[in-house]
Amino acid sequence: MMKTIRTHLGVKLFLSYFVVILVGVLVLALTVPAILPQAFNRHLGNMGMMGGSGQGFGFGGGQGPGMMADLYSGFRDGVFEALGWAAVAAVLVAVLISLLFSRRILQPLRAMMQASQRISEGHYDERVQVGGADELGQLAERFNQMAEKLHQVEAMRRQLIGDVSHELRTPLTAIKGSMEGLMDGVLPASDETYQQIHQEADRLNRLVDDLQELSRVESGAYELDLRPTQIAPLLETLGKRFRQQFEARRVELDLDLPAGLPPVLADEHRILQVLTNLTANALQYTPAGGTVTISAARTNGSIRITVRDTGAGIAPEHLTHLFDRFYRVDKSRSRAAGGSGIGLTIAKYLVEAHGGKIWVESEGIGNGSKFSFMLPVA
């Protein structure tokens, strides 16, 4: 019996209603006998005064004590009989109403229980019907939101597995083909052949490192050393790091820093990693003779850092997907030309871990692009 009560919400609801009824009946049964004699005497006394004979109508006293005792006894029995029938009727009606209310409450809960069971079996498209704006309706709405998030996570997991498999297969196929060519004597055992194999192995190593880093930032498995950090030294370090690459590609790097910028609350190494990813991306898609401009400006209680290029530009339909892992605007480009497609995703997670936000703007193909992110002032 107790196990049934503990494991069934409907039984608990029914018993809660039933206990309330029983308590009400008990209070009624205890109150009426205590109040009934005084009330009876008072009302009979008032009747006697109205009839001109104010004496002898009290309970057990005055004229006709036997008649008064019989009258009180009959009155009391009538009151208790009426209360008994009323209590029976109230209990029956309360039982019916309790069953109706319990069923109405349990129906959406049972639906969510069945839906959660199907979701646990892998059917992430399962949803429940939202019936009303009360707490149960809000619970059903939150349940559907949770199911949608799980559906998106599962879709991303499947896409990630496919993307990783594809990304790993490309350098592995190249390495395997080169090795087979060497063994069959098709390819010469020259420095150029070994250099090509080494480049593919290096690409594979960089991809694995990027995947490991992506896993860490997505799961939050790292600590931020937040402290007041000046932006100018970071950009100077960035310029030194990329100077040779910009000169080799004949692209100009311009730093636009106003004087008097306050420090930001950030992890210096992680923000330098964000700037490195954004700058490398801008350099990758800026042709010779172009310019990459890195600027900073104060906006309310934050510092906005912008990496602008005069490169290929981005079509509007791609802007909302650029920070998705492995997403590439030009599907025809090889990974050697277009990167692993993870750098922007890592940058997004790192900026958000600092309490900031990152976004991209572009006026279309051929008009360059602008990546910006905000960091809080220290």
PDB file of all heavy atoms in Angstrom, residues 95-116:
ATOM      1  N   VAL A  95     -14.757  12.908  -4.219  1.00  0.00           N
ATOM      2  CA  VAL A  95     -14.046  11.801  -4.853  1.00  0.00           C
ATOM      3  C   VAL A  95     -14.104  11.927  -6.373  1.00  0.00           C
ATOM      4  O   VAL A  95     -13.091  11.769  -7.071  1.00  0.00           O
ATOM      5  CB  VAL A  95     -14.631  10.450  -4.394  1.00  0.00           C
ATOM      6  CG1 VAL A  95     -14.125   9.315  -5.281  1.00  0.00           C
ATOM      7  CG2 VAL A  95     -14.252  10.181  -2.953  1.00  0.00           C
ATOM      8  N   LEU A  96     -15.302  12.212  -6.901  1.00  0.00           N
ATOM      9  CA  LEU A  96     -15.438  12.366  -8.358  1.00  0.00           C
ATOM     10  C   LEU A  96     -14.592  13.527  -8.870  1.00  0.00           C
ATOM     11  O   LEU A  96     -13.880  13.408  -9.878  1.00  0.00           O
ATOM     12  CB  LEU A  96     -16.912  12.572  -8.722  1.00  0.00           C
ATOM     13  CG  LEU A  96     -17.837  11.376  -8.475  1.00  0.00           C
ATOM     14  CD1 LEU A  96     -19.280  11.749  -8.795  1.00  0.00           C
ATOM     15  CD2 LEU A  96     -17.406  10.185  -9.329  1.00  0.00           C
ATOM     16  N   ILE A  97     -14.673  14.669  -8.175  1.00  0.00           N
ATOM     17  CA  ILE A  97     -13.896  15.831  -8.612  1.00  0.00           C
ATOM     18  C   ILE A  97     -12.402  15.558  -8.494  1.00  0.00           C
ATOM     19  O   ILE A  97     -11.603  15.952  -9.362  1.00  0.00           O
ATOM     20  CB  ILE A  97     -14.297  17.072  -7.792  1.00  0.00           C
ATOM     21  CG1 ILE A  97     -15.746  17.446  -8.093  1.00  0.00           C
ATOM     22  CG2 ILE A  97     -13.375  18.253  -8.116  1.00  0.00           C
ATOM     23  CD1 ILE A  97     -16.261  18.613  -7.270  1.00  0.00           C
ATOM     24  N   SER A  98     -11.992  14.866  -7.433  1.00  0.00           N
ATOM     25  CA  SER A  98     -10.574  14.542  -7.260  1.00  0.00           C
ATOM     26  C   SER A  98     -10.085  13.661  -8.392  1.00  0.00           C
ATOM     27  O   SER A  98      -8.978  13.856  -8.916  1.00  0.00           O
ATOM     28  CB  SER A  98     -10.364  13.835  -5.916  1.00  0.00           C
ATOM     29  OG  SER A  98     -10.730  14.673  -4.844  1.00  0.00           O
ATOM     30  N   LEU A  99     -10.895  12.684  -8.794  1.00  0.00           N
ATOM     31  CA  LEU A  99     -10.503  11.811  -9.900  1.00  0.00           C
ATOM     32  C   LEU A  99     -10.360  12.598 -11.192  1.00  0.00           C
ATOM     33  O   LEU A  99      -9.414  12.389 -11.967  1.00  0.00           O
ATOM     34  CB  LEU A  99     -11.529  10.684 -10.066  1.00  0.00           C
ATOM     35  CG  LEU A  99     -11.558   9.635  -8.940  1.00  0.00           C
ATOM     36  CD1 LEU A  99     -12.691   8.649  -9.176  1.00  0.00           C
ATOM     37  CD2 LEU A  99     -10.228   8.899  -8.856  1.00  0.00           C
ATOM     38  N   LEU A 100     -11.308  13.528 -11.444  1.00  0.00           N
ATOM     39  CA  LEU A 100     -11.244  14.329 -12.668  1.00  0.00           C
ATOM     40  C   LEU A 100     -10.006  15.225 -12.672  1.00  0.00           C
ATOM     41  O   LEU A 100      -9.272  15.309 -13.660  1.00  0.00           O
ATOM     42  CB  LEU A 100     -12.512  15.174 -12.810  1.00  0.00           C
ATOM     43  CG  LEU A 100     -13.806  14.398 -13.093  1.00  0.00           C
ATOM     44  CD1 LEU A 100     -15.000  15.352 -13.113  1.00  0.00           C
ATOM     45  CD2 LEU A 100     -13.715  13.660 -14.427  1.00  0.00           C
ATOM     46  N   PHE A 101      -9.768  15.911 -11.543  1.00  0.00           N
ATOM     47  CA  PHE A 101      -8.606  16.800 -11.459  1.00  0.00           C
ATOM     48  C   PHE A 101      -7.303  16.011 -11.543  1.00  0.00           C
ATOM     49  O   PHE A 101      -6.344  16.435 -12.206  1.00  0.00           O
ATOM     50  CB  PHE A 101      -8.654  17.617 -10.171  1.00  0.00           C
ATOM     51  CG  PHE A 101      -9.621  18.757 -10.212  1.00  0.00           C
ATOM     52  CD1 PHE A 101     -10.051  19.369  -9.049  1.00  0.00           C
ATOM     53  CD2 PHE A 101     -10.103  19.237 -11.422  1.00  0.00           C
ATOM     54  CE1 PHE A 101     -10.949  20.427  -9.085  1.00  0.00           C
ATOM     55  CE2 PHE A 101     -10.989  20.294 -11.482  1.00  0.00           C
ATOM     56  CZ  PHE A 101     -11.429  20.896 -10.309  1.00  0.00           C
ATOM     57  N   SER A 102      -7.250  14.863 -10.861  1.00  0.00           N
ATOM     58  CA  SER A 102      -6.037  14.054 -10.897  1.00  0.00           C
ATOM     59  C   SER A 102      -5.745  13.581 -12.313  1.00  0.00           C
ATOM     60  O   SER A 102      -4.595  13.610 -12.767  1.00  0.00           O
ATOM     61  CB  SER A 102      -6.187  12.850  -9.961  1.00  0.00           C
ATOM     62  OG  SER A 102      -6.385  13.266  -8.634  1.00  0.00           O
ATOM     63  N   ARG A 103      -6.794  13.156 -13.027  1.00  0.00           N
ATOM     64  CA  ARG A 103      -6.586  12.704 -14.404  1.00  0.00           C
ATOM     65  C   ARG A 103      -6.118  13.851 -15.294  1.00  0.00           C
ATOM     66  O   ARG A 103      -5.253  13.665 -16.150  1.00  0.00           O
ATOM     67  CB  ARG A 103      -7.880  12.119 -14.941  1.00  0.00           C
ATOM     68  CG  ARG A 103      -7.788  11.592 -16.361  1.00  0.00           C
ATOM     69  CD  ARG A 103      -9.078  10.926 -16.784  1.00  0.00           C
ATOM     70  NE  ARG A 103      -9.390   9.787 -15.913  1.00  0.00           N
ATOM     71  CZ  ARG A 103     -10.486   9.052 -16.047  1.00  0.00           C
ATOM     72  NH1 ARG A 103     -11.370   9.334 -16.990  1.00  0.00           N
ATOM     73  NH2 ARG A 103     -10.706   8.040 -15.237  1.00  0.00           N
ATOM     74  N   ARG A 104      -6.689  15.038 -15.068  1.00  0.00           N
ATOM     75  CA  ARG A 104      -6.288  16.180 -15.891  1.00  0.00           C
ATOM     76  C   ARG A 104      -4.838  16.572 -15.643  1.00  0.00           C
ATOM     77  O   ARG A 104      -4.127  17.002 -16.550  1.00  0.00           O
ATOM     78  CB  ARG A 104      -7.207  17.368 -15.588  1.00  0.00           C
ATOM     79  CG  ARG A 104      -6.957  18.563 -16.490  1.00  0.00           C
ATOM     80  CD  ARG A 104      -8.000  19.628 -16.296  1.00  0.00           C
ATOM     81  NE  ARG A 104      -7.788  20.747 -17.202  1.00  0.00           N
ATOM     82  CZ  ARG A 104      -8.563  21.822 -17.243  1.00  0.00           C
ATOM     83  NH1 ARG A 104      -9.607  21.910 -16.437  1.00  0.00           N
ATOM     84  NH2 ARG A 104      -8.297  22.799 -18.085  1.00  0.00           N
ATOM     85  N   ILE A 105      -4.381  16.434 -14.395  1.00  0.00           N
ATOM     86  CA  ILE A 105      -2.990  16.754 -14.074  1.00  0.00           C
ATOM     87  C   ILE A 105      -2.054  15.664 -14.568  1.00  0.00           C
ATOM     88  O   ILE A 105      -0.962  15.931 -15.084  1.00  0.00           O
ATOM     89  CB  ILE A 105      -2.841  16.967 -12.551  1.00  0.00           C
ATOM     90  CG1 ILE A 105      -3.596  18.229 -12.120  1.00  0.00           C
ATOM     91  CG2 ILE A 105      -1.371  17.081 -12.163  1.00  0.00           C
ATOM     92  CD1 ILE A 105      -3.610  18.434 -10.618  1.00  0.00           C
ATOM     93  N   LEU A 106      -2.485  14.411 -14.437  1.00  0.00           N
ATOM     94  CA  LEU A 106      -1.613  13.299 -14.785  1.00  0.00           C
ATOM     95  C   LEU A 106      -1.485  13.089 -16.285  1.00  0.00           C
ATOM     96  O   LEU A 106      -0.478  12.546 -16.741  1.00  0.00           O
ATOM     97  CB  LEU A 106      -2.124  12.012 -14.128  1.00  0.00           C
ATOM     98  CG  LEU A 106      -1.983  11.927 -12.614  1.00  0.00           C
ATOM     99  CD1 LEU A 106      -2.611  10.647 -12.105  1.00  0.00           C
ATOM    100  CD2 LEU A 106      -0.527  11.988 -12.213  1.00  0.00           C
ATOM    101  N   GLN A 107      -2.487  13.487 -17.056  1.00  0.00           N
ATOM    102  CA  GLN A 107      -2.446  13.233 -18.496  1.00  0.00           C
ATOM    103  C   GLN A 107      -1.236  13.866 -19.174  1.00  0.00           C
ATOM    104  O   GLN A 107      -0.492  13.180 -19.894  1.00  0.00           O
ATOM    105  CB  GLN A 107      -3.748  13.702 -19.148  1.00  0.00           C
ATOM    106  CG  GLN A 107      -3.845  13.366 -20.632  1.00  0.00           C
ATOM    107  CD  GLN A 107      -5.198  13.760 -21.208  1.00  0.00           C
ATOM    108  OE1 GLN A 107      -6.058  14.278 -20.501  1.00  0.00           O
ATOM    109  NE2 GLN A 107      -5.387  13.514 -22.498  1.00  0.00           N
ATOM    110  N   PRO A 108      -0.964  15.181 -18.976  1.00  0.00           N
ATOM    111  CA  PRO A 108       0.261  15.735 -19.596  1.00  0.00           C
ATOM    112  C   PRO A 108       1.540  15.159 -19.008  1.00  0.00           C
ATOM    113  O   PRO A 108       2.541  15.024 -19.712  1.00  0.00           O
ATOM    114  CB  PRO A 108       0.146  17.246 -19.325  1.00  0.00           C
ATOM    115  CG  PRO A 108      -0.781  17.365 -18.168  1.00  0.00           C
ATOM    116  CD  PRO A 108      -1.748  16.232 -18.305  1.00  0.00           C
ATOM    117  N   LEU A 109       1.512  14.793 -17.718  1.00  0.00           N
ATOM    118  CA  LEU A 109       2.709  14.196 -17.123  1.00  0.00           C
ATOM    119  C   LEU A 109       2.985  12.826 -17.726  1.00  0.00           C
ATOM    120  O   LEU A 109       4.148  12.474 -17.983  1.00  0.00           O
ATOM    121  CB  LEU A 109       2.529  14.078 -15.606  1.00  0.00           C
ATOM    122  CG  LEU A 109       2.439  15.406 -14.833  1.00  0.00           C
ATOM    123  CD1 LEU A 109       2.238  15.146 -13.357  1.00  0.00           C
ATOM    124  CD2 LEU A 109       3.687  16.246 -15.060  1.00  0.00           C
ATOM    125  N   ARG A 110       1.924  12.045 -17.958  1.00  0.00           N
ATOM    126  CA  ARG A 110       2.123  10.746 -18.602  1.00  0.00           C
ATOM    127  C   ARG A 110       2.642  10.925 -20.028  1.00  0.00           C
ATOM    128  O   ARG A 110       3.484  10.152 -20.494  1.00  0.00           O
ATOM    129  CB  ARG A 110       0.810   9.970 -18.622  1.00  0.00           C
ATOM    130  CG  ARG A 110       0.375   9.429 -17.256  1.00  0.00           C
ATOM    131  CD  ARG A 110      -0.687   8.365 -17.406  1.00  0.00           C
ATOM    132  NE  ARG A 110      -1.148   7.870 -16.119  1.00  0.00           N
ATOM    133  CZ  ARG A 110      -2.272   8.262 -15.522  1.00  0.00           C
ATOM    134  NH1 ARG A 110      -3.046   9.168 -16.122  1.00  0.00           N
ATOM    135  NH2 ARG A 110      -2.627   7.762 -14.358  1.00  0.00           N
ATOM    136  N   ALA A 111       2.114  11.963 -20.723  1.00  0.00           N
ATOM    137  CA  ALA A 111       2.586  12.226 -22.085  1.00  0.00           C
ATOM    138  C   ALA A 111       4.073  12.565 -22.086  1.00  0.00           C
ATOM    139  O   ALA A 111       4.840  12.086 -22.934  1.00  0.00           O
ATOM    140  CB  ALA A 111       1.776  13.364 -22.712  1.00  0.00           C
ATOM    141  N   MET A 112       4.516  13.387 -21.123  1.00  0.00           N
ATOM    142  CA  MET A 112       5.928  13.736 -21.043  1.00  0.00           C
ATOM    143  C   MET A 112       6.776  12.526 -20.647  1.00  0.00           C
ATOM    144  O   MET A 112       7.904  12.376 -21.110  1.00  0.00           O
ATOM    145  CB  MET A 112       6.126  14.883 -20.049  1.00  0.00           C
ATOM    146  CG  MET A 112       5.785  16.243 -20.628  1.00  0.00           C
ATOM    147  SD  MET A 112       6.166  17.615 -19.520  1.00  0.00           S
ATOM    148  CE  MET A 112       4.738  17.562 -18.458  1.00  0.00           C
ATOM    149  N   MET A 113       6.217  11.661 -19.805  1.00  0.00           N
ATOM    150  CA  MET A 113       6.948  10.461 -19.418  1.00  0.00           C
ATOM    151  C   MET A 113       7.167   9.552 -20.624  1.00  0.00           C
ATOM    152  O   MET A 113       8.264   9.034 -20.849  1.00  0.00           O
ATOM    153  CB  MET A 113       6.177   9.717 -18.325  1.00  0.00           C
ATOM    154  CG  MET A 113       6.862   8.453 -17.814  1.00  0.00           C
ATOM    155  SD  MET A 113       5.944   7.656 -16.485  1.00  0.00           S
ATOM    156  CE  MET A 113       4.467   7.154 -17.394  1.00  0.00           C
ATOM    157  N   GLN A 114       6.113   9.377 -21.439  1.00  0.00           N
ATOM    158  CA  GLN A 114       6.242   8.549 -22.637  1.00  0.00           C
ATOM    159  C   GLN A 114       7.200   9.186 -23.648  1.00  0.00           C
ATOM    160  O   GLN A 114       8.008   8.501 -24.282  1.00  0.00           O
ATOM    161  CB  GLN A 114       4.869   8.334 -23.258  1.00  0.00           C
ATOM    162  CG  GLN A 114       3.919   7.531 -22.375  1.00  0.00           C
ATOM    163  CD  GLN A 114       2.507   7.493 -22.912  1.00  0.00           C
ATOM    164  OE1 GLN A 114       2.212   8.101 -23.952  1.00  0.00           O
ATOM    165  NE2 GLN A 114       1.614   6.792 -22.219  1.00  0.00           N
ATOM    166  N   ALA A 115       7.099  10.530 -23.785  1.00  0.00           N
ATOM    167  CA  ALA A 115       7.992  11.215 -24.725  1.00  0.00           C
ATOM    168  C   ALA A 115       9.447  11.118 -24.268  1.00  0.00           C
ATOM    169  O   ALA A 115      10.358  10.920 -25.083  1.00  0.00           O
ATOM    170  CB  ALA A 115       7.576  12.679 -24.865  1.00  0.00           C
ATOM    171  N   SER A 116       9.685  11.262 -22.965  1.00  0.00           N
ATOM    172  CA  SER A 116      11.060  11.154 -22.465  1.00  0.00           C
ATOM    173  C   SER A 116      11.611   9.750 -22.674  1.00  0.00           C
ATOM    174  O   SER A 116      12.806   9.585 -22.948  1.00  0.00           O
ATOM    175  CB  SER A 116      11.096  11.527 -20.982  1.00  0.00           C
ATOM    176  OG  SER A 116      10.321  10.622 -20.220  1.00  0.00           O
TER     177      SER A 116
END
